[in-house]
Amino acid sequence: MMHWIILPVVMPALFAPIIGFVMRHDIGLARIASVTGTVLLLAVALFNAGMAATGETFVYRLGDWPAPFGIVLVLDRLSALMVLLTAVLAVIVLIHAIATGWDARGKHFHTLFQFQLMGICGAFLTGDIFNLFVFFEVLLIASYGLMIHAGGRDRVRAGLQYVVMNLAGSTLFLFALGTLYASTGTLNIADMARVIATIPAEEAALVRVAAILLMIVFAVKAALFPVQFWLPATYANASASVAALFAIMTKVGAYAILRVHTISFGPGIAPTEDLAATWLFPAAILTIAVGAFGVLGARRLMPLIAFSVLGSMGTLMAAVSAFSPEATTAALYYLVHSTFAAACLFLVADLVVARRNNDALRPVPATAQNGLFAALFFGAAIGMAGMPPLSGFLGKLLILDALREPGLMGWAWAAILGGSLLTIVGFARAGSVLFWSSTALEAPLAATPETRKAGAWELAPAMISIGMLALLAILALPVSGYLEDTALQIFDRAGYMTAVLGTGTEG
């Protein structure tokens, strides 16, 4: 039964080369295989989430080598939640890519898509920082290929900036790994916590340097200020399907900070406690500001959405930076919400831009289904901005309630509320130009590909995403209860260490 834990990594790794080598000349077969693999991933993720819901931490030891000598995968509430979120989003995105034909506009989309899922799931499941680096590299390679899918000068330029920035982060990651191994003799997350706790604070300078380097690396992945500039260009120039999938990719950085800086460097570890929080909170506040002003000043739809994603990452990291169970509960709720909200915005934008022929925020003649697209955009926008009745309002309310300490409350509340206001204004301006001003222009609707009506399969992914936001709001109480238990398990360092190093359930 424990072999279910490794399947989210193994299945995409098997489907990717099969699609790439056997089906690369037949898009129909590639689609069937990719959909099959992704649906199977969702089924496995649901099963693993059910296992983790018992509160037990499951450990899969590759080759039956005990930690810290061997590679381990760890399944607990947090990793199961993140893998399930990835699988649900992957199904939604894949439906959109196939229905709109984006997958056929370049080579190897489905192969890269499966490799991307492998990297994301591996990063969420690994219990070893070196293998976290390995899965980060799988992510980087696959995401770069997806980023430049279908080509174009602007896309390649943005992709180059993205890969250079992330390669710099990978270099810092290697420096951090070398420093950590030299000072602790291990790279297993649980074992590092055990070793670092025994190092006197006055002798832990190298460990603190490594912890800061890791935080910078994870901040690059999470697009935190001042290393956030790659995100707007990347998300704005990627195809909408890819940008929607990238909504979970930035969460890998947030997950890594939450996992590593809680277990190995977090509260109760004298040499490094409060080290991350000192820098994360101001970086998160500035990220919210950059995102909000970016939304307000955007002149194109895709950059506007990209900056809103940036602002949502700042909001998420403001909660993570508190490193408390209450704030982490709020952060996890907002993490799930913001993933679906961002994906929904990109998917709706793709439908709109395909019929306007560009994403400039200026009036053009009304397109087919203008009212339907306006409603979808309105729903996604209020979700991202944090307006009721969708889950964004509850997510931000939970975060504000968790950040009430005297040193945090003023800055956090001002940034989150002010950022929400600017985001609302930016989306309202964009929506009025895209859908309201357009209806005032006279234009016969010609039967061209640009103005044809979107089919049910094209509309379904965006509608499902909005449905997920509504479901999160309706089920807020049980979801929050599950996430509260998840947060308590995250901060149960002793339980995690016992499972990984001692008497945890083996695979």
Side-chain angles (χ1 to χ4, degrees), residues 94-140:
L94 191 57
I95 293 172
H96 180 88
I98 294 173
T100 58
W102 263 110
D103 62 328
R105 300 189 189 184
K107 293 183 178 181
H108 307 301
F109 175 88
H110 293 286
T111 299
L112 293 168
F113 188 86
Q114 294 299 317
F115 274 128
Q116 182 83 345
L117 295 181
M118 171 194 169
I120 294 173
C121 292
F124 290 144
L125 288 168
T126 185
D128 183 280
I129 293 188
F130 180 79
N131 288 289
L132 182 62
F133 167 78
V134 171
F135 286 119
F136 271 12
E137 294 312 294
V138 174
L139 277 175
L140 175 61

Short mmCIF file of all heavy atoms in Angstrom, two decimals, residues 94-140:
data_model
loop_
_atom_site.label_atom_id
_atom_site.label_comp_id
_atom_site.label_asym_id
_atom_site.label_seq_id
_atom_site.Cartn_x
_atom_site.Cartn_y
_atom_site.Cartn_z
N LEU A 94 -5.27 21.00 -18.39
CA LEU A 94 -5.12 20.12 -19.55
C LEU A 94 -6.38 20.15 -20.42
O LEU A 94 -6.29 20.14 -21.65
CB LEU A 94 -4.83 18.70 -19.08
CG LEU A 94 -4.39 17.71 -20.16
CD1 LEU A 94 -3.15 18.20 -20.88
CD2 LEU A 94 -4.12 16.34 -19.54
N ILE A 95 -7.55 20.18 -19.78
CA ILE A 95 -8.80 20.29 -20.55
C ILE A 95 -8.79 21.56 -21.38
O ILE A 95 -9.14 21.55 -22.57
CB ILE A 95 -10.02 20.26 -19.60
CG1 ILE A 95 -10.15 18.89 -18.94
CG2 ILE A 95 -11.30 20.60 -20.37
CD1 ILE A 95 -11.21 18.85 -17.85
N HIS A 96 -8.37 22.67 -20.77
CA HIS A 96 -8.34 23.94 -21.49
C HIS A 96 -7.35 23.90 -22.65
O HIS A 96 -7.65 24.36 -23.76
CB HIS A 96 -7.97 25.08 -20.53
CG HIS A 96 -7.93 26.43 -21.20
ND1 HIS A 96 -9.04 27.23 -21.30
CD2 HIS A 96 -6.91 27.10 -21.78
CE1 HIS A 96 -8.71 28.34 -21.94
NE2 HIS A 96 -7.42 28.29 -22.23
N ALA A 97 -6.16 23.36 -22.39
CA ALA A 97 -5.14 23.32 -23.44
C ALA A 97 -5.60 22.51 -24.65
O ALA A 97 -5.36 22.89 -25.80
CB ALA A 97 -3.85 22.74 -22.87
N ILE A 98 -6.28 21.40 -24.40
CA ILE A 98 -6.76 20.55 -25.49
C ILE A 98 -7.95 21.19 -26.19
O ILE A 98 -8.03 21.21 -27.43
CB ILE A 98 -7.12 19.15 -24.95
CG1 ILE A 98 -5.85 18.44 -24.47
CG2 ILE A 98 -7.82 18.33 -26.02
CD1 ILE A 98 -6.12 17.12 -23.77
N ALA A 99 -8.89 21.73 -25.41
CA ALA A 99 -10.11 22.31 -26.00
C ALA A 99 -9.81 23.52 -26.87
O ALA A 99 -10.47 23.74 -27.90
CB ALA A 99 -11.09 22.69 -24.88
N THR A 100 -8.82 24.32 -26.48
CA THR A 100 -8.48 25.52 -27.24
C THR A 100 -7.43 25.26 -28.31
O THR A 100 -7.14 26.14 -29.12
CB THR A 100 -7.97 26.62 -26.30
OG1 THR A 100 -6.82 26.14 -25.57
CG2 THR A 100 -9.06 27.05 -25.33
N GLY A 101 -6.83 24.06 -28.30
CA GLY A 101 -5.81 23.74 -29.29
C GLY A 101 -4.43 24.25 -28.98
O GLY A 101 -3.52 24.14 -29.81
N TRP A 102 -4.22 24.80 -27.76
CA TRP A 102 -2.90 25.33 -27.41
C TRP A 102 -1.84 24.23 -27.41
O TRP A 102 -0.67 24.48 -27.72
CB TRP A 102 -2.95 26.00 -26.03
CG TRP A 102 -3.14 27.48 -26.09
CD1 TRP A 102 -4.26 28.17 -25.72
CD2 TRP A 102 -2.21 28.45 -26.56
NE1 TRP A 102 -4.07 29.52 -25.93
CE2 TRP A 102 -2.82 29.72 -26.44
CE3 TRP A 102 -0.92 28.38 -27.07
CZ2 TRP A 102 -2.19 30.90 -26.81
CZ3 TRP A 102 -0.28 29.56 -27.44
CH2 TRP A 102 -0.91 30.79 -27.31
N ASP A 103 -2.23 23.03 -27.05
CA ASP A 103 -1.25 21.95 -26.97
C ASP A 103 -0.67 21.58 -28.33
O ASP A 103 0.43 21.01 -28.40
CB ASP A 103 -1.86 20.72 -26.31
CG ASP A 103 -3.03 20.15 -27.13
OD1 ASP A 103 -3.73 20.95 -27.79
OD2 ASP A 103 -3.24 18.93 -27.10
N ALA A 104 -1.38 21.91 -29.41
CA ALA A 104 -0.93 21.54 -30.76
C ALA A 104 -0.15 22.66 -31.45
O ALA A 104 0.27 22.50 -32.59
CB ALA A 104 -2.14 21.15 -31.62
N ARG A 105 0.08 23.77 -30.78
CA ARG A 105 0.75 24.92 -31.40
C ARG A 105 2.27 24.86 -31.29
O ARG A 105 2.96 25.76 -31.73
CB ARG A 105 0.23 26.22 -30.80
CG ARG A 105 -1.27 26.41 -31.01
CD ARG A 105 -1.72 27.79 -30.59
NE ARG A 105 -3.17 27.90 -30.60
CZ ARG A 105 -3.84 29.01 -30.36
NH1 ARG A 105 -3.17 30.13 -30.08
NH2 ARG A 105 -5.15 29.04 -30.38
N GLY A 106 2.77 23.85 -30.65
CA GLY A 106 4.21 23.65 -30.52
C GLY A 106 4.49 22.19 -30.27
O GLY A 106 3.57 21.36 -30.19
N LYS A 107 5.73 21.84 -30.17
CA LYS A 107 6.12 20.45 -30.01
C LYS A 107 6.24 20.07 -28.52
O LYS A 107 6.64 20.88 -27.70
CB LYS A 107 7.44 20.18 -30.71
CG LYS A 107 7.36 20.30 -32.23
CD LYS A 107 8.69 19.95 -32.86
CE LYS A 107 8.60 20.01 -34.39
NZ LYS A 107 9.88 19.66 -35.04
N HIS A 108 5.91 18.85 -28.22
CA HIS A 108 6.21 18.21 -26.94
C HIS A 108 5.48 18.85 -25.74
O HIS A 108 5.97 18.79 -24.62
CB HIS A 108 7.72 18.21 -26.67
CG HIS A 108 8.53 17.64 -27.78
ND1 HIS A 108 8.36 16.35 -28.23
CD2 HIS A 108 9.51 18.18 -28.55
CE1 HIS A 108 9.20 16.11 -29.22
NE2 HIS A 108 9.91 17.19 -29.44
N PHE A 109 4.31 19.45 -25.97
CA PHE A 109 3.58 20.05 -24.86
C PHE A 109 3.27 19.01 -23.79
O PHE A 109 3.51 19.23 -22.59
CB PHE A 109 2.29 20.70 -25.35
CG PHE A 109 1.41 21.24 -24.25
CD1 PHE A 109 1.59 22.52 -23.78
CD2 PHE A 109 0.42 20.45 -23.66
CE1 PHE A 109 0.79 23.02 -22.75
CE2 PHE A 109 -0.37 20.94 -22.64
CZ PHE A 109 -0.18 22.23 -22.19
N HIS A 110 2.73 17.88 -24.20
CA HIS A 110 2.26 16.90 -23.22
C HIS A 110 3.42 16.21 -22.51
O HIS A 110 3.33 15.87 -21.32
CB HIS A 110 1.36 15.87 -23.90
CG HIS A 110 0.07 16.45 -24.37
ND1 HIS A 110 -0.96 16.78 -23.52
CD2 HIS A 110 -0.35 16.81 -25.62
CE1 HIS A 110 -1.97 17.30 -24.21
NE2 HIS A 110 -1.62 17.33 -25.49
N THR A 111 4.54 16.03 -23.21
CA THR A 111 5.73 15.48 -22.55
C THR A 111 6.22 16.42 -21.47
O THR A 111 6.50 16.01 -20.33
CB THR A 111 6.84 15.25 -23.59
OG1 THR A 111 6.39 14.32 -24.57
CG2 THR A 111 8.10 14.71 -22.93
N LEU A 112 6.35 17.70 -21.80
CA LEU A 112 6.81 18.69 -20.84
C LEU A 112 5.81 18.85 -19.70
O LEU A 112 6.19 19.06 -18.54
CB LEU A 112 7.03 20.03 -21.54
CG LEU A 112 8.18 20.06 -22.55
CD1 LEU A 112 8.11 21.33 -23.40
CD2 LEU A 112 9.52 19.97 -21.84
N PHE A 113 4.53 18.75 -20.03
CA PHE A 113 3.48 18.86 -19.02
C PHE A 113 3.63 17.77 -17.97
O PHE A 113 3.55 18.03 -16.75
CB PHE A 113 2.11 18.77 -19.70
CG PHE A 113 0.94 19.06 -18.82
CD1 PHE A 113 0.50 20.36 -18.61
CD2 PHE A 113 0.25 18.03 -18.18
CE1 PHE A 113 -0.60 20.62 -17.79
CE2 PHE A 113 -0.84 18.28 -17.37
CZ PHE A 113 -1.26 19.59 -17.17
N GLN A 114 3.87 16.54 -18.40
CA GLN A 114 4.04 15.43 -17.47
C GLN A 114 5.32 15.58 -16.65
O GLN A 114 5.34 15.30 -15.44
CB GLN A 114 4.04 14.10 -18.23
CG GLN A 114 2.72 13.75 -18.88
CD GLN A 114 1.58 13.61 -17.88
OE1 GLN A 114 1.75 13.02 -16.81
NE2 GLN A 114 0.42 14.15 -18.22
N PHE A 115 6.41 16.02 -17.28
CA PHE A 115 7.63 16.26 -16.53
C PHE A 115 7.43 17.36 -15.48
O PHE A 115 7.99 17.30 -14.38
CB PHE A 115 8.79 16.61 -17.46
CG PHE A 115 9.51 15.43 -18.03
CD1 PHE A 115 9.73 15.31 -19.39
CD2 PHE A 115 9.98 14.41 -17.20
CE1 PHE A 115 10.39 14.21 -19.92
CE2 PHE A 115 10.64 13.31 -17.71
CZ PHE A 115 10.85 13.21 -19.08
N GLN A 116 6.63 18.37 -15.84
CA GLN A 116 6.35 19.44 -14.89
C GLN A 116 5.60 18.89 -13.67
O GLN A 116 5.93 19.23 -12.52
CB GLN A 116 5.51 20.52 -15.57
CG GLN A 116 5.17 21.71 -14.71
CD GLN A 116 6.30 22.72 -14.66
OE1 GLN A 116 7.42 22.42 -15.04
NE2 GLN A 116 6.00 23.91 -14.21
N LEU A 117 4.64 18.02 -13.91
CA LEU A 117 3.90 17.41 -12.80
C LEU A 117 4.82 16.55 -11.95
O LEU A 117 4.71 16.54 -10.71
CB LEU A 117 2.74 16.57 -13.34
CG LEU A 117 1.62 17.32 -14.07
CD1 LEU A 117 0.53 16.35 -14.51
CD2 LEU A 117 1.03 18.41 -13.19
N MET A 118 5.74 15.85 -12.58
CA MET A 118 6.70 15.04 -11.83
C MET A 118 7.53 15.92 -10.90
O MET A 118 7.72 15.60 -9.72
CB MET A 118 7.62 14.31 -12.82
CG MET A 118 8.81 13.61 -12.17
SD MET A 118 10.03 13.13 -13.40
CE MET A 118 11.40 12.66 -12.33
N GLY A 119 8.04 17.04 -11.42
CA GLY A 119 8.86 17.92 -10.60
C GLY A 119 8.09 18.54 -9.45
O GLY A 119 8.59 18.61 -8.32
N ILE A 120 6.86 18.97 -9.73
CA ILE A 120 6.05 19.60 -8.68
C ILE A 120 5.71 18.60 -7.58
O ILE A 120 5.89 18.87 -6.38
CB ILE A 120 4.77 20.20 -9.29
CG1 ILE A 120 5.11 21.37 -10.22
CG2 ILE A 120 3.83 20.68 -8.18
CD1 ILE A 120 3.91 21.90 -10.99
N CYS A 121 5.22 17.42 -7.97
CA CYS A 121 4.84 16.41 -6.97
C CYS A 121 6.07 15.93 -6.19
O CYS A 121 5.99 15.72 -4.97
CB CYS A 121 4.16 15.23 -7.65
SG CYS A 121 2.53 15.63 -8.35
N GLY A 122 7.20 15.77 -6.87
CA GLY A 122 8.41 15.36 -6.18
C GLY A 122 8.87 16.37 -5.15
O GLY A 122 9.29 16.01 -4.05
N ALA A 123 8.76 17.67 -5.50
CA ALA A 123 9.15 18.72 -4.56
C ALA A 123 8.27 18.71 -3.32
O ALA A 123 8.74 18.96 -2.21
CB ALA A 123 9.08 20.08 -5.25
N PHE A 124 6.99 18.40 -3.48
CA PHE A 124 6.08 18.38 -2.34
C PHE A 124 6.28 17.14 -1.46
O PHE A 124 5.99 17.19 -0.27
CB PHE A 124 4.62 18.42 -2.82
CG PHE A 124 4.21 19.74 -3.40
CD1 PHE A 124 3.34 19.80 -4.47
CD2 PHE A 124 4.70 20.93 -2.89
CE1 PHE A 124 2.95 21.01 -5.01
CE2 PHE A 124 4.33 22.15 -3.43
CZ PHE A 124 3.45 22.19 -4.50
N LEU A 125 6.76 16.06 -2.04
CA LEU A 125 6.84 14.79 -1.29
C LEU A 125 8.22 14.51 -0.70
O LEU A 125 8.33 13.73 0.24
CB LEU A 125 6.44 13.62 -2.20
CG LEU A 125 4.95 13.51 -2.55
CD1 LEU A 125 4.74 12.51 -3.66
CD2 LEU A 125 4.14 13.13 -1.31
N THR A 126 9.27 15.11 -1.23
CA THR A 126 10.60 14.74 -0.78
C THR A 126 10.85 15.16 0.66
O THR A 126 10.36 16.19 1.13
CB THR A 126 11.68 15.35 -1.70
OG1 THR A 126 12.97 14.88 -1.30
CG2 THR A 126 11.68 16.88 -1.61
N GLY A 127 11.63 14.32 1.35
CA GLY A 127 12.03 14.63 2.72
C GLY A 127 13.49 15.00 2.82
O GLY A 127 14.06 15.01 3.92
N ASP A 128 14.10 15.31 1.69
CA ASP A 128 15.54 15.55 1.61
C ASP A 128 15.78 16.82 0.80
O ASP A 128 15.23 16.97 -0.30
CB ASP A 128 16.21 14.34 0.95
CG ASP A 128 17.71 14.47 0.89
OD1 ASP A 128 18.20 15.16 -0.01
OD2 ASP A 128 18.39 13.88 1.75
N ILE A 129 16.60 17.73 1.31
CA ILE A 129 16.80 19.01 0.63
C ILE A 129 17.56 18.84 -0.69
O ILE A 129 17.30 19.57 -1.66
CB ILE A 129 17.53 20.01 1.55
CG1 ILE A 129 16.62 20.38 2.71
CG2 ILE A 129 17.91 21.27 0.80
CD1 ILE A 129 17.15 21.49 3.57
N PHE A 130 18.49 17.88 -0.77
CA PHE A 130 19.18 17.69 -2.04
C PHE A 130 18.20 17.25 -3.12
O PHE A 130 18.26 17.72 -4.26
CB PHE A 130 20.31 16.66 -1.91
CG PHE A 130 21.04 16.46 -3.21
CD1 PHE A 130 21.99 17.37 -3.64
CD2 PHE A 130 20.76 15.36 -4.02
CE1 PHE A 130 22.64 17.20 -4.85
CE2 PHE A 130 21.41 15.18 -5.23
CZ PHE A 130 22.36 16.10 -5.65
N ASN A 131 17.29 16.35 -2.79
CA ASN A 131 16.31 15.94 -3.78
C ASN A 131 15.29 17.03 -4.06
O ASN A 131 14.70 17.06 -5.15
CB ASN A 131 15.63 14.65 -3.32
CG ASN A 131 16.55 13.46 -3.42
OD1 ASN A 131 16.87 13.00 -4.50
ND2 ASN A 131 17.03 12.98 -2.28
N LEU A 132 15.09 17.93 -3.12
CA LEU A 132 14.30 19.12 -3.42
C LEU A 132 14.98 19.93 -4.52
O LEU A 132 14.32 20.43 -5.45
CB LEU A 132 14.14 19.97 -2.15
CG LEU A 132 13.29 21.23 -2.27
CD1 LEU A 132 11.86 20.89 -2.65
CD2 LEU A 132 13.31 22.02 -0.96
N PHE A 133 16.30 20.04 -4.45
CA PHE A 133 17.06 20.71 -5.51
C PHE A 133 16.88 19.98 -6.84
O PHE A 133 16.68 20.62 -7.89
CB PHE A 133 18.54 20.76 -5.13
CG PHE A 133 19.45 21.14 -6.26
CD1 PHE A 133 19.57 22.47 -6.65
CD2 PHE A 133 20.19 20.18 -6.94
CE1 PHE A 133 20.40 22.82 -7.70
CE2 PHE A 133 21.02 20.53 -7.98
CZ PHE A 133 21.13 21.85 -8.37
N VAL A 134 16.95 18.65 -6.82
CA VAL A 134 16.78 17.87 -8.06
C VAL A 134 15.42 18.13 -8.68
O VAL A 134 15.29 18.38 -9.89
CB VAL A 134 16.98 16.37 -7.77
CG1 VAL A 134 16.60 15.53 -9.00
CG2 VAL A 134 18.41 16.09 -7.36
N PHE A 135 14.39 18.10 -7.87
CA PHE A 135 13.04 18.33 -8.40
C PHE A 135 12.86 19.78 -8.84
O PHE A 135 12.11 20.05 -9.79
CB PHE A 135 11.99 17.92 -7.37
CG PHE A 135 11.85 16.44 -7.21
CD1 PHE A 135 12.10 15.82 -5.99
CD2 PHE A 135 11.48 15.64 -8.29
CE1 PHE A 135 11.97 14.44 -5.85
CE2 PHE A 135 11.35 14.27 -8.15
CZ PHE A 135 11.60 13.66 -6.94
N PHE A 136 13.52 20.72 -8.19
CA PHE A 136 13.51 22.09 -8.66
C PHE A 136 14.08 22.19 -10.07
O PHE A 136 13.58 22.95 -10.91
CB PHE A 136 14.32 22.98 -7.71
CG PHE A 136 13.52 23.57 -6.58
CD1 PHE A 136 12.26 23.11 -6.29
CD2 PHE A 136 14.04 24.58 -5.80
CE1 PHE A 136 11.51 23.64 -5.24
CE2 PHE A 136 13.32 25.13 -4.75
CZ PHE A 136 12.05 24.65 -4.46
N GLU A 137 15.15 21.43 -10.34
CA GLU A 137 15.76 21.47 -11.66
C GLU A 137 14.84 20.82 -12.71
O GLU A 137 14.78 21.29 -13.85
CB GLU A 137 17.12 20.77 -11.63
CG GLU A 137 18.15 21.49 -10.79
CD GLU A 137 18.22 22.97 -11.11
OE1 GLU A 137 18.62 23.32 -12.24
OE2 GLU A 137 17.86 23.78 -10.24
N VAL A 138 14.16 19.76 -12.34
CA VAL A 138 13.18 19.17 -13.26
C VAL A 138 12.10 20.20 -13.58
O VAL A 138 11.68 20.37 -14.74
CB VAL A 138 12.55 17.91 -12.64
CG1 VAL A 138 11.42 17.37 -13.52
CG2 VAL A 138 13.60 16.83 -12.44
N LEU A 139 11.65 20.92 -12.55
CA LEU A 139 10.68 21.99 -12.73
C LEU A 139 11.20 23.05 -13.69
O LEU A 139 10.49 23.51 -14.58
CB LEU A 139 10.38 22.66 -11.38
CG LEU A 139 9.36 22.05 -10.44
CD1 LEU A 139 9.35 22.81 -9.13
CD2 LEU A 139 8.00 22.07 -11.08
N LEU A 140 12.43 23.47 -13.49
CA LEU A 140 13.01 24.55 -14.28
C LEU A 140 13.07 24.16 -15.76
O LEU A 140 12.66 24.93 -16.63
CB LEU A 140 14.41 24.89 -13.76
CG LEU A 140 15.19 25.93 -14.57
CD1 LEU A 140 14.45 27.26 -14.60
CD2 LEU A 140 16.59 26.11 -14.00
#
